[in-house]
Amino acid sequence: MKKNGNQALLPAGLQDLLMPAAAHEAEVVRRLIDSFSSEGYDRIKPPLLEFENALLSGAGETLSDQIFRLMDPSSHRMMGVRADITPQIARIAASRLQNAPRPLRLCYGGDVLQVTGSQLRPERQFTQVGGELIGITENAADAEVILAAVTALEAVGVKDLSVDINLPTLVPAIAKEFGYDAEQALELRVALDRKDAAEVEKIAGEHATFFLKLLNAAGSAQHVIDYAKDLEFSGVAAKEFAKLINVVELVTEAAPKLTVTLDLVEHRGFEYHTGTSFIFFAKGVRGELGRGGRYDSVSVDNVTEPATGFTLFMDTVLRALPKPKVARRIFLPHGTRRDEGAALRAQGWITISGLKPVENDRAEALRLSCSHLLENDHIHELGNN
Amino acid sequence: MKKNGNQALLPAGLQDLLMPAAAHEAEVVRRLIDSFSSEGYDRIKPPLLEFENALLSGAGETLSDQIFRLMDPSSHRMMGVRADITPQIARIAASRLQNAPRPLRLCYGGDVLQVTGSQLRPERQFTQVGGELIGITENAADAEVILAAVTALEAVGVKDLSVDINLPTLVPAIAKEFGYDAEQALELRVALDRKDAAEVEKIAGEHATFFLKLLNAAGSAQHVIDYAKDLEFSGVAAKEFAKLINVVELVTEAAPKLTVTLDLVEHRGFEYHTGTSFIFFAKGVRGELGRGGRYDSVSVDNVTEPATGFTLFMDTVLRALPKPKVARRIFLPHGTRRDEGAALRAQGWITISGLKPVENDRAEALRLSCSHLLENDHIHELGNN
């Protein structure tokens, strides 16, 4: 197998972003965070490295296999490179921001590293951008984080956005209600998640009809809500479902054009979630733009607070956007005064200064990918050959 | 010794940036990079981790002790977390961008990790922002990188900026001219760098007077240039010094108000530099804002190109800036329609939505650090208690 230069030089799953991709990513991150900030989500920046136990507390527990570990030569304690920023936010909320008024709105943007990529997603370094709303249980909070993400994604130009809302606590609540033991409940959850009707029927026994119906409770939000009335949830399941319906109402009321779908049996990736959860998609774009939901924010000191939040994955978000516009670049022949360049830059030009005399400034400008040339104080547009 | 919560939770030298510091840092990084970009420096983003040998090639050689090492489970090769971004830029310039036209202008902004902090600078995670100009030897290139950094620092609001220009190749050139062996030359360099006149006199022997004069060649650029005429450099030293004078002329011509100083014996931190080097300071601000200079850009495959560039240290840059302005925050009582909030955000407000009904909206707004309250479609400014 032939390797190109880059594959040979970098470890698998790590890559260089070149021009214009790196600038585009930074610009989109900035605009997403500007949008969250305008809704009161204050930006914070935890370090790339922490003590291992902090990274693995609460939501981080599932990432134990994904953390690069390092010995700290100064404390002789184990550290890890973060594989997810959410556990860091929980630590900060419970420590330095423990006295900040609730609800606490925080946002972040940064890179994380994971030990292994997946077949679907070979990358080992990701840029995460997200927001967390901590210390509040109201359904309005669940709606706010969905809407904050939707607003930001639409602001940067994502088209045909949809949100798939899930309730990973529903199946466990029903299983408990029906008296299944933990093992049965887990098997059932996995079979439902796989949409494996035969297996569901086998495990569910006398309640097979109910769970087969539940399996079909996926599709447009209104359809699923109507359909689920037949299922007559009771107890905790009914309460959870009523909350979900309220969140959907709040979201669709504020964003009537947004495509909202529901899937009542989905739970993959929501293992630590405690209520309404969601995934963002854009039509025609492979992969998730982001995901989030309700969870218990658990710090390393075991301080627990109700919370909800979302994380956007920049690689997918960038795939959902059109290519950035090519900037106008003007070549300034050798000897152009620096203040002439500054005046052009103030007008939005990218200037490329000639650092030595050349025979043909026009040819030099084209060689350096300039679209324009400054000649005798005039701006000339260059042909594209 | 009593530790505060944060010290106990994070390894030494690593810290959380909270609000408003994290947002301020991101904003200043963006404006610095916008400034470099407008001069044609294209942003690129190398990964946080690389194979160890790539991080240690060329300029990275001196950082061997500072790199956190990790085993790559997929290739079983040693990787390192970057302690400096410059060696990564050299790798990219020599590989994926080997066919891009020269001079190649690249810029970057990102975090680096170092194994140990110093007494003066205990931090182990830094944010570096910089630019590199690769594949050109002209003095105009040396002047451009100094001016690009100065322009960007002034654009973000750094006052009373000065640049101290050095020539770390001068003393070795003179030592060679005078026939000193490598050991003597090194001892002399160290003594001069320490400004240790007695030691200089001892090592320099018959040339003591010359080197004691050189020791005093520090101060405002014009003063040093005049003073150095007495020293009558010859051979390589004379050529190097003539280049330095030309760079100073180009810089002062383009930026006549900039404070430019020279120090002809400084070499600390310039071990791998091959010509004109420089350090930025701001009056009254502890530490360097940044530094840079001419070097050989050496890739892991030993491709070598002449280059010059600079790195700015965000911790010092932020210390040189006034505190960011506090944004206007308006509280939207529970039940405010989302489009009302959107209209205010479009006007530049930060909106804080009430997520449940409260008895006293005004008290709630103050509790959440809002400066204003939306009440019956009117914006009320709140008192400061």
Side-chain angles (χ1 to χ4, degrees), chain B residues 169-200:
Chain B
T169 49
L170 185 69
V171 171
I174 297 167
K176 208 173 171 186
E177 197 95 0
F178 286 171
Y180 294 164
D181 63 26
E183 198 185 332
Q184 270 180 306
L186 183 66
E187 280 175 8
L188 188 61
R189 204 177 170 184
V190 171
L192 285 163
D193 204 40
R194 286 207 199 114
K195 318 278 182 205
D196 184 342
E199 187 69 15
V200 168

PDB file of all heavy atoms in Angstrom, chain B residues 169-200:
ATOM      1  N   THR B 169      24.397  35.153  16.316  1.00  0.00           N
ATOM      2  CA  THR B 169      25.512  34.586  15.537  1.00  0.00           C
ATOM      3  C   THR B 169      26.757  35.464  15.568  1.00  0.00           C
ATOM      4  O   THR B 169      27.808  35.049  15.075  1.00  0.00           O
ATOM      5  CB  THR B 169      25.079  34.424  14.062  1.00  0.00           C
ATOM      6  OG1 THR B 169      24.478  35.660  13.638  1.00  0.00           O
ATOM      7  CG2 THR B 169      24.076  33.303  13.901  1.00  0.00           C
ATOM      8  N   LEU B 170      26.635  36.661  16.155  1.00  0.00           N
ATOM      9  CA  LEU B 170      27.764  37.602  16.096  1.00  0.00           C
ATOM     10  C   LEU B 170      28.964  37.127  16.927  1.00  0.00           C
ATOM     11  O   LEU B 170      30.093  37.060  16.419  1.00  0.00           O
ATOM     12  CB  LEU B 170      27.317  38.996  16.565  1.00  0.00           C
ATOM     13  CG  LEU B 170      28.375  40.091  16.443  1.00  0.00           C
ATOM     14  CD1 LEU B 170      28.654  40.413  14.973  1.00  0.00           C
ATOM     15  CD2 LEU B 170      27.955  41.362  17.186  1.00  0.00           C
ATOM     16  N   VAL B 171      28.720  36.811  18.191  1.00  0.00           N
ATOM     17  CA  VAL B 171      29.827  36.412  19.067  1.00  0.00           C
ATOM     18  C   VAL B 171      30.533  35.161  18.531  1.00  0.00           C
ATOM     19  O   VAL B 171      31.767  35.146  18.431  1.00  0.00           O
ATOM     20  CB  VAL B 171      29.342  36.241  20.531  1.00  0.00           C
ATOM     21  CG1 VAL B 171      30.447  35.610  21.380  1.00  0.00           C
ATOM     22  CG2 VAL B 171      28.918  37.597  21.109  1.00  0.00           C
ATOM     23  N   PRO B 172      29.790  34.105  18.123  1.00  0.00           N
ATOM     24  CA  PRO B 172      30.490  32.945  17.541  1.00  0.00           C
ATOM     25  C   PRO B 172      31.320  33.314  16.314  1.00  0.00           C
ATOM     26  O   PRO B 172      32.442  32.801  16.143  1.00  0.00           O
ATOM     27  CB  PRO B 172      29.343  32.003  17.163  1.00  0.00           C
ATOM     28  CG  PRO B 172      28.216  32.377  18.072  1.00  0.00           C
ATOM     29  CD  PRO B 172      28.359  33.859  18.307  1.00  0.00           C
ATOM     30  N   ALA B 173      30.805  34.226  15.470  1.00  0.00           N
ATOM     31  CA  ALA B 173      31.564  34.620  14.276  1.00  0.00           C
ATOM     32  C   ALA B 173      32.867  35.305  14.661  1.00  0.00           C
ATOM     33  O   ALA B 173      33.938  35.022  14.092  1.00  0.00           O
ATOM     34  CB  ALA B 173      30.714  35.529  13.392  1.00  0.00           C
ATOM     35  N   ILE B 174      32.787  36.217  15.647  1.00  0.00           N
ATOM     36  CA  ILE B 174      33.999  36.922  16.089  1.00  0.00           C
ATOM     37  C   ILE B 174      34.994  35.942  16.719  1.00  0.00           C
ATOM     38  O   ILE B 174      36.191  35.982  16.442  1.00  0.00           O
ATOM     39  CB  ILE B 174      33.649  38.035  17.100  1.00  0.00           C
ATOM     40  CG1 ILE B 174      32.760  39.090  16.424  1.00  0.00           C
ATOM     41  CG2 ILE B 174      34.901  38.680  17.667  1.00  0.00           C
ATOM     42  CD1 ILE B 174      32.097  40.059  17.401  1.00  0.00           C
ATOM     43  N   ALA B 175      34.459  35.038  17.555  1.00  0.00           N
ATOM     44  CA  ALA B 175      35.321  34.068  18.238  1.00  0.00           C
ATOM     45  C   ALA B 175      36.091  33.227  17.215  1.00  0.00           C
ATOM     46  O   ALA B 175      37.276  32.931  17.402  1.00  0.00           O
ATOM     47  CB  ALA B 175      34.481  33.180  19.155  1.00  0.00           C
ATOM     48  N   LYS B 176      35.394  32.852  16.156  1.00  0.00           N
ATOM     49  CA  LYS B 176      36.028  32.055  15.105  1.00  0.00           C
ATOM     50  C   LYS B 176      37.145  32.861  14.426  1.00  0.00           C
ATOM     51  O   LYS B 176      38.250  32.377  14.216  1.00  0.00           O
ATOM     52  CB  LYS B 176      34.969  31.649  14.078  1.00  0.00           C
ATOM     53  CG  LYS B 176      35.297  30.345  13.361  1.00  0.00           C
ATOM     54  CD  LYS B 176      34.161  29.890  12.491  1.00  0.00           C
ATOM     55  CE  LYS B 176      34.590  28.717  11.624  1.00  0.00           C
ATOM     56  NZ  LYS B 176      33.563  28.336  10.671  1.00  0.00           N
ATOM     57  N   GLU B 177      36.788  34.113  14.127  1.00  0.00           N
ATOM     58  CA  GLU B 177      37.731  35.058  13.502  1.00  0.00           C
ATOM     59  C   GLU B 177      39.013  35.177  14.335  1.00  0.00           C
ATOM     60  O   GLU B 177      40.116  35.198  13.812  1.00  0.00           O
ATOM     61  CB  GLU B 177      37.035  36.429  13.451  1.00  0.00           C
ATOM     62  CG  GLU B 177      37.654  37.423  12.511  1.00  0.00           C
ATOM     63  CD  GLU B 177      36.931  37.371  11.160  1.00  0.00           C
ATOM     64  OE1 GLU B 177      35.979  36.569  11.013  1.00  0.00           O
ATOM     65  OE2 GLU B 177      37.316  38.138  10.299  1.00  0.00           O
ATOM     66  N   PHE B 178      38.825  35.225  15.675  1.00  0.00           N
ATOM     67  CA  PHE B 178      39.971  35.404  16.583  1.00  0.00           C
ATOM     68  C   PHE B 178      40.678  34.077  16.855  1.00  0.00           C
ATOM     69  O   PHE B 178      41.650  34.040  17.617  1.00  0.00           O
ATOM     70  CB  PHE B 178      39.500  35.995  17.913  1.00  0.00           C
ATOM     71  CG  PHE B 178      39.146  37.469  17.831  1.00  0.00           C
ATOM     72  CD1 PHE B 178      38.521  38.103  18.896  1.00  0.00           C
ATOM     73  CD2 PHE B 178      39.458  38.237  16.696  1.00  0.00           C
ATOM     74  CE1 PHE B 178      38.194  39.461  18.828  1.00  0.00           C
ATOM     75  CE2 PHE B 178      39.138  39.587  16.628  1.00  0.00           C
ATOM     76  CZ  PHE B 178      38.495  40.199  17.701  1.00  0.00           C
ATOM     77  N   GLY B 179      40.171  32.997  16.296  1.00  0.00           N
ATOM     78  CA  GLY B 179      40.851  31.706  16.430  1.00  0.00           C
ATOM     79  C   GLY B 179      40.592  30.974  17.731  1.00  0.00           C
ATOM     80  O   GLY B 179      41.366  30.093  18.120  1.00  0.00           O
ATOM     81  N   TYR B 180      39.490  31.303  18.477  1.00  0.00           N
ATOM     82  CA  TYR B 180      39.171  30.574  19.710  1.00  0.00           C
ATOM     83  C   TYR B 180      38.648  29.190  19.348  1.00  0.00           C
ATOM     84  O   TYR B 180      37.996  29.000  18.321  1.00  0.00           O
ATOM     85  CB  TYR B 180      38.077  31.300  20.508  1.00  0.00           C
ATOM     86  CG  TYR B 180      38.517  32.646  21.057  1.00  0.00           C
ATOM     87  CD1 TYR B 180      37.567  33.558  21.504  1.00  0.00           C
ATOM     88  CD2 TYR B 180      39.866  32.986  21.167  1.00  0.00           C
ATOM     89  CE1 TYR B 180      37.930  34.778  22.021  1.00  0.00           C
ATOM     90  CE2 TYR B 180      40.244  34.213  21.679  1.00  0.00           C
ATOM     91  CZ  TYR B 180      39.281  35.109  22.100  1.00  0.00           C
ATOM     92  OH  TYR B 180      39.654  36.309  22.610  1.00  0.00           O
ATOM     93  N   ASP B 181      38.893  28.209  20.223  1.00  0.00           N
ATOM     94  CA  ASP B 181      38.296  26.890  19.974  1.00  0.00           C
ATOM     95  C   ASP B 181      36.847  26.892  20.468  1.00  0.00           C
ATOM     96  O   ASP B 181      36.390  27.836  21.115  1.00  0.00           O
ATOM     97  CB  ASP B 181      39.132  25.766  20.601  1.00  0.00           C
ATOM     98  CG  ASP B 181      39.201  25.857  22.112  1.00  0.00           C
ATOM     99  OD1 ASP B 181      38.256  26.431  22.726  1.00  0.00           O
ATOM    100  OD2 ASP B 181      40.196  25.377  22.697  1.00  0.00           O
ATOM    101  N   ALA B 182      36.145  25.809  20.155  1.00  0.00           N
ATOM    102  CA  ALA B 182      34.703  25.744  20.415  1.00  0.00           C
ATOM    103  C   ALA B 182      34.377  25.960  21.901  1.00  0.00           C
ATOM    104  O   ALA B 182      33.422  26.653  22.252  1.00  0.00           O
ATOM    105  CB  ALA B 182      34.142  24.409  19.939  1.00  0.00           C
ATOM    106  N   GLU B 183      35.233  25.366  22.769  1.00  0.00           N
ATOM    107  CA  GLU B 183      34.974  25.446  24.200  1.00  0.00           C
ATOM    108  C   GLU B 183      35.127  26.879  24.714  1.00  0.00           C
ATOM    109  O   GLU B 183      34.270  27.395  25.425  1.00  0.00           O
ATOM    110  CB  GLU B 183      35.932  24.509  24.943  1.00  0.00           C
ATOM    111  CG  GLU B 183      35.466  24.183  26.363  1.00  0.00           C
ATOM    112  CD  GLU B 183      36.537  23.347  27.092  1.00  0.00           C
ATOM    113  OE1 GLU B 183      37.280  22.629  26.398  1.00  0.00           O
ATOM    114  OE2 GLU B 183      36.610  23.451  28.333  1.00  0.00           O
ATOM    115  N   GLN B 184      36.214  27.496  24.291  1.00  0.00           N
ATOM    116  CA  GLN B 184      36.451  28.901  24.659  1.00  0.00           C
ATOM    117  C   GLN B 184      35.310  29.791  24.167  1.00  0.00           C
ATOM    118  O   GLN B 184      34.818  30.663  24.873  1.00  0.00           O
ATOM    119  CB  GLN B 184      37.750  29.400  23.997  1.00  0.00           C
ATOM    120  CG  GLN B 184      39.012  29.201  24.816  1.00  0.00           C
ATOM    121  CD  GLN B 184      40.204  29.738  24.031  1.00  0.00           C
ATOM    122  OE1 GLN B 184      40.415  29.337  22.870  1.00  0.00           O
ATOM    123  NE2 GLN B 184      40.973  30.644  24.630  1.00  0.00           N
ATOM    124  N   ALA B 185      34.914  29.535  22.907  1.00  0.00           N
ATOM    125  CA  ALA B 185      33.867  30.348  22.289  1.00  0.00           C
ATOM    126  C   ALA B 185      32.574  30.251  23.101  1.00  0.00           C
ATOM    127  O   ALA B 185      31.898  31.249  23.341  1.00  0.00           O
ATOM    128  CB  ALA B 185      33.626  29.898  20.851  1.00  0.00           C
ATOM    129  N   LEU B 186      32.261  29.019  23.545  1.00  0.00           N
ATOM    130  CA  LEU B 186      31.032  28.816  24.314  1.00  0.00           C
ATOM    131  C   LEU B 186      31.119  29.511  25.665  1.00  0.00           C
ATOM    132  O   LEU B 186      30.182  30.183  26.106  1.00  0.00           O
ATOM    133  CB  LEU B 186      30.760  27.311  24.484  1.00  0.00           C
ATOM    134  CG  LEU B 186      29.441  26.992  25.209  1.00  0.00           C
ATOM    135  CD1 LEU B 186      28.245  27.430  24.366  1.00  0.00           C
ATOM    136  CD2 LEU B 186      29.353  25.493  25.519  1.00  0.00           C
ATOM    137  N   GLU B 187      32.276  29.347  26.337  1.00  0.00           N
ATOM    138  CA  GLU B 187      32.472  29.987  27.648  1.00  0.00           C
ATOM    139  C   GLU B 187      32.313  31.502  27.534  1.00  0.00           C
ATOM    140  O   GLU B 187      31.694  32.146  28.376  1.00  0.00           O
ATOM    141  CB  GLU B 187      33.885  29.679  28.187  1.00  0.00           C
ATOM    142  CG  GLU B 187      33.998  28.305  28.831  1.00  0.00           C
ATOM    143  CD  GLU B 187      35.447  27.997  29.225  1.00  0.00           C
ATOM    144  OE1 GLU B 187      36.306  28.906  29.126  1.00  0.00           O
ATOM    145  OE2 GLU B 187      35.706  26.845  29.624  1.00  0.00           O
ATOM    146  N   LEU B 188      32.875  32.033  26.471  1.00  0.00           N
ATOM    147  CA  LEU B 188      32.818  33.469  26.233  1.00  0.00           C
ATOM    148  C   LEU B 188      31.373  33.920  26.011  1.00  0.00           C
ATOM    149  O   LEU B 188      30.926  34.926  26.570  1.00  0.00           O
ATOM    150  CB  LEU B 188      33.669  33.785  24.996  1.00  0.00           C
ATOM    151  CG  LEU B 188      33.906  35.251  24.680  1.00  0.00           C
ATOM    152  CD1 LEU B 188      34.643  35.934  25.831  1.00  0.00           C
ATOM    153  CD2 LEU B 188      34.716  35.384  23.386  1.00  0.00           C
ATOM    154  N   ARG B 189      30.657  33.129  25.231  1.00  0.00           N
ATOM    155  CA  ARG B 189      29.269  33.453  24.919  1.00  0.00           C
ATOM    156  C   ARG B 189      28.436  33.509  26.202  1.00  0.00           C
ATOM    157  O   ARG B 189      27.628  34.406  26.407  1.00  0.00           O
ATOM    158  CB  ARG B 189      28.727  32.360  23.979  1.00  0.00           C
ATOM    159  CG  ARG B 189      27.577  32.813  23.145  1.00  0.00           C
ATOM    160  CD  ARG B 189      27.153  31.711  22.190  1.00  0.00           C
ATOM    161  NE  ARG B 189      25.910  32.090  21.562  1.00  0.00           N
ATOM    162  CZ  ARG B 189      25.227  31.318  20.724  1.00  0.00           C
ATOM    163  NH1 ARG B 189      25.689  30.129  20.392  1.00  0.00           N
ATOM    164  NH2 ARG B 189      24.101  31.735  20.217  1.00  0.00           N
ATOM    165  N   VAL B 190      28.675  32.506  27.064  1.00  0.00           N
ATOM    166  CA  VAL B 190      27.920  32.434  28.323  1.00  0.00           C
ATOM    167  C   VAL B 190      28.266  33.623  29.217  1.00  0.00           C
ATOM    168  O   VAL B 190      27.386  34.271  29.787  1.00  0.00           O
ATOM    169  CB  VAL B 190      28.192  31.088  29.039  1.00  0.00           C
ATOM    170  CG1 VAL B 190      27.602  31.091  30.441  1.00  0.00           C
ATOM    171  CG2 VAL B 190      27.637  29.928  28.212  1.00  0.00           C
ATOM    172  N   ALA B 191      29.564  33.935  29.308  1.00  0.00           N
ATOM    173  CA  ALA B 191      30.001  35.044  30.166  1.00  0.00           C
ATOM    174  C   ALA B 191      29.434  36.376  29.664  1.00  0.00           C
ATOM    175  O   ALA B 191      28.989  37.212  30.461  1.00  0.00           O
ATOM    176  CB  ALA B 191      31.522  35.108  30.211  1.00  0.00           C
ATOM    177  N   LEU B 192      29.430  36.554  28.355  1.00  0.00           N
ATOM    178  CA  LEU B 192      28.887  37.783  27.765  1.00  0.00           C
ATOM    179  C   LEU B 192      27.375  37.866  28.031  1.00  0.00           C
ATOM    180  O   LEU B 192      26.846  38.918  28.385  1.00  0.00           O
ATOM    181  CB  LEU B 192      29.143  37.812  26.257  1.00  0.00           C
ATOM    182  CG  LEU B 192      30.587  38.120  25.822  1.00  0.00           C
ATOM    183  CD1 LEU B 192      30.806  37.721  24.364  1.00  0.00           C
ATOM    184  CD2 LEU B 192      30.903  39.609  26.027  1.00  0.00           C
ATOM    185  N   ASP B 193      26.710  36.739  27.872  1.00  0.00           N
ATOM    186  CA  ASP B 193      25.272  36.701  28.074  1.00  0.00           C
ATOM    187  C   ASP B 193      24.932  37.054  29.517  1.00  0.00           C
ATOM    188  O   ASP B 193      23.935  37.715  29.790  1.00  0.00           O
ATOM    189  CB  ASP B 193      24.756  35.294  27.735  1.00  0.00           C
ATOM    190  CG  ASP B 193      23.296  35.304  27.353  1.00  0.00           C
ATOM    191  OD1 ASP B 193      22.881  36.237  26.635  1.00  0.00           O
ATOM    192  OD2 ASP B 193      22.566  34.391  27.777  1.00  0.00           O
ATOM    193  N   ARG B 194      25.780  36.616  30.451  1.00  0.00           N
ATOM    194  CA  ARG B 194      25.586  36.916  31.883  1.00  0.00           C
ATOM    195  C   ARG B 194      26.043  38.328  32.233  1.00  0.00           C
ATOM    196  O   ARG B 194      25.949  38.730  33.389  1.00  0.00           O
ATOM    197  CB  ARG B 194      26.411  35.941  32.725  1.00  0.00           C
ATOM    198  CG  ARG B 194      25.852  34.554  32.788  1.00  0.00           C
ATOM    199  CD  ARG B 194      26.290  33.889  34.110  1.00  0.00           C
ATOM    200  NE  ARG B 194      26.150  32.447  34.009  1.00  0.00           N
ATOM    201  CZ  ARG B 194      27.162  31.586  34.021  1.00  0.00           C
ATOM    202  NH1 ARG B 194      28.401  32.024  34.190  1.00  0.00           N
ATOM    203  NH2 ARG B 194      26.926  30.296  33.917  1.00  0.00           N
ATOM    204  N   LYS B 195      26.628  39.020  31.257  1.00  0.00           N
ATOM    205  CA  LYS B 195      27.205  40.365  31.465  1.00  0.00           C
ATOM    206  C   LYS B 195      28.271  40.320  32.572  1.00  0.00           C
ATOM    207  O   LYS B 195      28.358  41.223  33.415  1.00  0.00           O
ATOM    208  CB  LYS B 195      26.110  41.401  31.821  1.00  0.00           C
ATOM    209  CG  LYS B 195      24.821  41.297  31.020  1.00  0.00           C
ATOM    210  CD  LYS B 195      24.918  41.989  29.672  1.00  0.00           C
ATOM    211  CE  LYS B 195      23.590  41.891  28.923  1.00  0.00           C
ATOM    212  NZ  LYS B 195      23.729  41.980  27.482  1.00  0.00           N
ATOM    213  N   ASP B 196      29.032  39.244  32.602  1.00  0.00           N
ATOM    214  CA  ASP B 196      30.044  39.027  33.637  1.00  0.00           C
ATOM    215  C   ASP B 196      31.401  39.528  33.116  1.00  0.00           C
ATOM    216  O   ASP B 196      32.187  38.793  32.509  1.00  0.00           O
ATOM    217  CB  ASP B 196      30.086  37.523  33.956  1.00  0.00           C
ATOM    218  CG  ASP B 196      31.048  37.201  35.094  1.00  0.00           C
ATOM    219  OD1 ASP B 196      31.914  38.055  35.410  1.00  0.00           O
ATOM    220  OD2 ASP B 196      30.931  36.100  35.648  1.00  0.00           O
ATOM    221  N   ALA B 197      31.685  40.817  33.385  1.00  0.00           N
ATOM    222  CA  ALA B 197      32.859  41.482  32.809  1.00  0.00           C
ATOM    223  C   ALA B 197      34.158  40.802  33.232  1.00  0.00           C
ATOM    224  O   ALA B 197      35.061  40.597  32.409  1.00  0.00           O
ATOM    225  CB  ALA B 197      32.877  42.958  33.194  1.00  0.00           C
ATOM    226  N   ALA B 198      34.272  40.438  34.509  1.00  0.00           N
ATOM    227  CA  ALA B 198      35.502  39.829  35.021  1.00  0.00           C
ATOM    228  C   ALA B 198      35.783  38.530  34.276  1.00  0.00           C
ATOM    229  O   ALA B 198      36.916  38.269  33.843  1.00  0.00           O
ATOM    230  CB  ALA B 198      35.358  39.564  36.526  1.00  0.00           C
ATOM    231  N   GLU B 199      34.765  37.716  34.122  1.00  0.00           N
ATOM    232  CA  GLU B 199      34.909  36.428  33.434  1.00  0.00           C
ATOM    233  C   GLU B 199      35.252  36.640  31.950  1.00  0.00           C
ATOM    234  O   GLU B 199      36.108  35.942  31.393  1.00  0.00           O
ATOM    235  CB  GLU B 199      33.588  35.660  33.585  1.00  0.00           C
ATOM    236  CG  GLU B 199      33.598  34.231  33.084  1.00  0.00           C
ATOM    237  CD  GLU B 199      34.454  33.293  33.941  1.00  0.00           C
ATOM    238  OE1 GLU B 199      34.806  33.687  35.082  1.00  0.00           O
ATOM    239  OE2 GLU B 199      34.795  32.197  33.455  1.00  0.00           O
ATOM    240  N   VAL B 200      34.606  37.636  31.349  1.00  0.00           N
ATOM    241  CA  VAL B 200      34.879  37.949  29.943  1.00  0.00           C
ATOM    242  C   VAL B 200      36.359  38.308  29.776  1.00  0.00           C
ATOM    243  O   VAL B 200      37.038  37.796  28.879  1.00  0.00           O
ATOM    244  CB  VAL B 200      33.985  39.110  29.435  1.00  0.00           C
ATOM    245  CG1 VAL B 200      34.470  39.628  28.085  1.00  0.00           C
ATOM    246  CG2 VAL B 200      32.521  38.659  29.342  1.00  0.00           C
TER     247      VAL B 200
END
